[in-house]
Amino acid sequence: MSQDQLDILQRALEREKKARKAAERILEEKSRELFQTSQQIEQLLQEKSSQLQGIFENIVDAYVVMDLDGNILKFNEAATTLFGYDLDKESVNVMNLIHKDDYQYAMSSFLDLQTNGLFKNYETRVCTKSGEVKWVHVNGSLVLDNTNTPIAAQGIVRDITDQKTSKEKLIESENRLAALVLNLDSGIVLEDENRKIVLTNKKFCELFNLSAQPEDLIGMDCIAASEQNKLLFKNPKAFLERMKVINLDKKPVVGDELEMLDGKILERDYMPITIGEKSKGFLWTFTDVTLKRTYRKSLEAQKQKYYSIIANMHLGLVEVNNEDEILMINQSFSEMSGYTQDEVIGKKGSELFPVEGGSEIISQENENRKQGKSNSYEIKVKTKQGEIRYWLISGAPNYNLKGEVVGSIGIHLDITDLKTLELQKESLLLELEKSNNELQEYAHIVSHDLKSPLRSIDALVAWIKEDNKDKLDDVSLQNFTHIEGTLEKMELLISDILNYSSIGAFQIEKVEVNTDLLVKEIIKIIYVPEHISIAINKTLPTLKGDKVKLQQLFQNLISNAIKFINKPEGEIVIDVTSKDGFYEFSISDNGIGIEKQFHDKIFKIFHALNKSKDSTGIGLSIVKKIIDQHEGKIWLESELDKGTTFFFTLKK
């Protein structure tokens, strides 16, 4: 190779070295710039990541990240608060959060997420850790890696429980309101500002005899509808003109009365609906008041009828206020008192009429009326003419429409004649009581005076028998025995008559009487033959009565049963049954029995069926009188040769 060629190569190599060094310098500068740029980008990314992290951590709504198997990877603070789980301490799968009734819906939404990469406006129920059910709104999307492969899912979860509850309550309120309007007993028509029907109900269709349903009328022009319906009214022209006036005035109207051809009477109300300054429609209400109007007319007729009766009846009517000032009287009271209505209006009744404490009575009765009490009472009064009369007053409180007592109304009956008779009766009763006492005293004296000769005769017979015991033959002795028996029976008769007359002469003194103990004591003291047994079936009750007379009652009936038993083995059974308000006693025997024709007679005085020396025929009369005095009854059931049962009742 020549020198020239070597020089050329040498120069080319030098140039190449220079060019490489220049390129290396440029590359080094570019690398330094790239490194600085890379550092700036990394710092910027860190700042942006930090900012993004802060956004998701502090977002108001819950932020959730999960893997594709549903395992929760990340909760922000709002999510932790919403669901109640702490991911630092426990693992949570999305299945723990889904409400069981929304499972299918959740799976369908998750498939949409996998297919489309996102979903929006997903509303569902979730269960928190504490078991509380909440409604949530979710917007979700997939998280992709740098090869666009899904690696996770993320979502913003908003708690809409309160909104959902409010919405449901609003829907319920709307439904209730709609149901209320549709089922109101008044016809409703709601118009918009253009006089088009917005809402109506079944009652409106019924009142106007429309075959259409309420929903068929929506959108109809009210003016045209009024033209069609005017023929239903007795005065169609007046109906239309009144509607025009109401619509022009746009003021509330209450109680317009409309008469229809079919006899119905409607009451029409009108209410304009204004929001701010703008008219937004009109509400018409139609109510069938036919029955109310008919009742009112009937009530007016009844009122007039009874007013006429009250005005002309023989009972005095007085109306007073709470201060006892007379507001009204009727003609009968005017005649009773001697005063005209003009003379008593505004005067106080307690000062005008009563005497002898009547003012205090009326004042007290006025207080009773203020408390809503009604009652009757008597007062002694002086009429305008100065005549003393007795009035029976039936008073009742008078109420206003609010239910407040505004006074009282009194019905007055003049009972002067009745009061006079009552005073006469009291006087007669006092005289009768005095006479009874004198008669009772006389009966005791007569009893004593009658028994004294009998005892003297009995003593004389005994002396004669004693002095002539060896001289008297059997016939004479038998006659003297008959005389003694007659004297004994005579004394018993006098005692029974005295007992009979004594019953009812004095007021009985009722005390608690144990009849079981009473009867057992009687059985101990009376003579009971050995062949007769007395049984008490059940414990006899304790009741209120006169102990002495009840003892006399039981003793007479038991002794009577013993007396008329003719069987070798006599049986007496005492029993009792509790009834409503009284006890029913029975005393049975297996004695001779009593024929049915004598069942009533045996209770009459001196009606003894079996004449004997120890029977006067007064015992059962005394029994009946005692039972009558205790407000009871006595009867019997009997069969000849089989026995008798006496039944009697005593009040509990």
Side-chain angles (χ1 to χ4, degrees), residues 71-86:
N71 296 310
I72 305 298
L73 303 176
K74 185 175 181 59
F75 270 170
N76 68 348
E77 187 175 344
T80 301
T81 302
L82 174 62
F83 295 108
Y85 291 99
D86 186 351

Side-chain angles (χ1 to χ4, degrees), residues 316 318 332-339 349 352-354 362 376-384 387-394 411-416 419:
V318 178
S332 293
F333 184 81
S334 179
E335 293 170 2
M336 286 171 59
S337 65
Y339 291 95
L352 195 60
F353 300 107
I362 290 181
S376 298
Y377 58 97
E378 293 180 17
I379 60 169
K380 188 177 180 181
V381 300
K382 183 185 289 186
T383 65
K384 183 180 179 182
E387 185 181 2
I388 299 298
R389 308 293 292 179
Y390 292 91
W391 290 347
L392 174 65
I393 304 174
S394 179
I411 302 294
H412 297 64
L413 174 66
D414 191 322
I415 58 169
T416 307
K419 197 74 176 176

Side-chain angles (χ1 to χ4, degrees), residues 228-246:
Q228 292 175 8
N229 295 329
K230 69 180 181 180
L231 298 177
L232 297 172
F233 297 91
K234 281 188 177 180
N235 193 335
K237 185 178 179 181
F239 167 72
L240 289 177
E241 288 178 354
R242 178 61 177 154
M243 283 197 72
K244 288 177 184 177
V245 170
I246 291 172

Side-chain angles (χ1 to χ4, degrees), residues 232-279:
L232 297 172
F233 297 91
K234 281 188 177 180
N235 193 335
K237 185 178 179 181
F239 167 72
L240 289 177
E241 288 178 354
R242 178 61 177 154
M243 283 197 72
K244 288 177 184 177
V245 170
I246 291 172
N247 189 49
L248 287 172
D249 288 346
K250 290 185 173 48
K251 295 179 181 178
V253 173
V254 178
D256 255 10
E257 196 169 282
L258 305 170
E259 288 191 59
M260 302 185 75
L261 285 175
D262 61 3
K264 281 200 293 256
I265 301 173
L266 301 183
E267 196 172 77
R268 175 177 59 188
D269 297 339
Y270 167 81
M271 179 64 65
I273 300 171
T274 305
I275 300 176
E277 298 293 328
K278 293 185 178 180
S279 173

Side-chain angles (χ1 to χ4, degrees), residues 416-584:
T416 307
D417 294 340
L418 187 64
K419 197 74 176 176
T420 303
L421 290 173
E422 189 178 318
L423 293 172
Q424 290 174 355
K425 176 186 171 184
E426 288 176 2
S427 177
L428 288 172
L429 286 173
L430 288 172
E431 290 181 13
L432 183 60
E433 184 180 354
K434 181 180 178 183
S435 177
N436 280 339
N437 291 336
E438 291 174 351
L439 185 61
Q440 184 67 21
E441 188 176 332
Y442 177 72
H444 279 87
I445 294 170
V446 169
S447 171
H448 179 268
D449 290 348
L450 287 174
K451 283 182 178 181
S452 293
L454 291 177
R455 292 191 185 106
S456 298
I457 294 169
D458 188 49
L460 287 171
V461 170
W463 293 343
I464 293 171
K465 285 172 67 179
E466 181 67 27
D467 293 342
N468 300 281
K469 61 182 178 181
D470 296 330
K471 299 175 183 178
L472 296 173
D473 56 16
D474 291 340
V475 174
S476 297
L477 289 172
Q478 188 175 359
N479 287 333
F480 278 120
T481 302
H482 283 317
I483 292 171
E484 289 174 335
T486 303
L487 291 171
E488 185 180 342
K489 187 171 182 179
M490 190 71 175
E491 187 172 359
L492 179 62
L493 178 62
I494 292 169
S495 297
D496 284 350
I497 290 173
L498 183 61
N499 286 335
Y500 183 79
S501 65
S502 298
I503 297 171
F506 304 101
Q507 283 290 101
I508 64 171
E509 184 180 348
K510 288 189 175 182
V511 294
E512 294 284 342
V513 180
N514 185 333
T515 57
D516 192 71
L517 185 61
L518 184 75
V519 171
K520 287 175 180 176
E521 288 176 351
I522 291 170
I523 295 170
K524 287 179 183 178
I525 62 173
I526 63 173
Y527 171 68
V528 182
E530 292 182 359
H531 71 286
I532 294 176
S533 64
I534 301 177
I536 303 174
N537 271 359
K538 58 174 73 87
T539 303
L540 302 181
T542 297
L543 48 79
K544 285 244 181 188
D546 188 299
K547 186 175 182 180
V548 174
K549 289 184 170 56
L550 290 178
Q551 181 176 355
Q552 197 173 2
L553 161 66
F554 281 101
Q555 186 169 331
N556 278 1
L557 287 174
I558 295 170
S559 299
N560 207 58
I562 293 171
K563 190 185 303 179
F564 296 107
I565 289 178
N566 60 350
K567 305 290 192 304
E569 292 185 5
E571 294 178 359
I572 297 173
V573 179
I574 302 170
D575 203 354
V576 67
T577 304
S578 180
K579 305 278 187 177
D580 288 339
F582 62 89
Y583 294 107
E584 182 180 292

Side-chain angles (χ1 to χ4, degrees), residues 555-617:
Q555 186 169 331
N556 278 1
L557 287 174
I558 295 170
S559 299
N560 207 58
I562 293 171
K563 190 185 303 179
F564 296 107
I565 289 178
N566 60 350
K567 305 290 192 304
E569 292 185 5
E571 294 178 359
I572 297 173
V573 179
I574 302 170
D575 203 354
V576 67
T577 304
S578 180
K579 305 278 187 177
D580 288 339
F582 62 89
Y583 294 107
E584 182 180 292
F585 293 86
S586 63
I587 299 178
S588 305
D589 64 63
N590 63 341
I592 61 176
I594 303 171
E595 291 182 64
K596 192 170 183 64
Q597 65 192 41
F598 299 116
H599 284 192
D600 292 329
K601 291 183 179 180
I602 62 173
F603 294 111
K604 295 179 181 178
I605 193 167
F606 301 131
H607 278 73
L609 300 182
N610 298 80
K611 302 297 182 183
S612 64
K613 68 174 184 177
D614 56 350
S615 176
T616 62

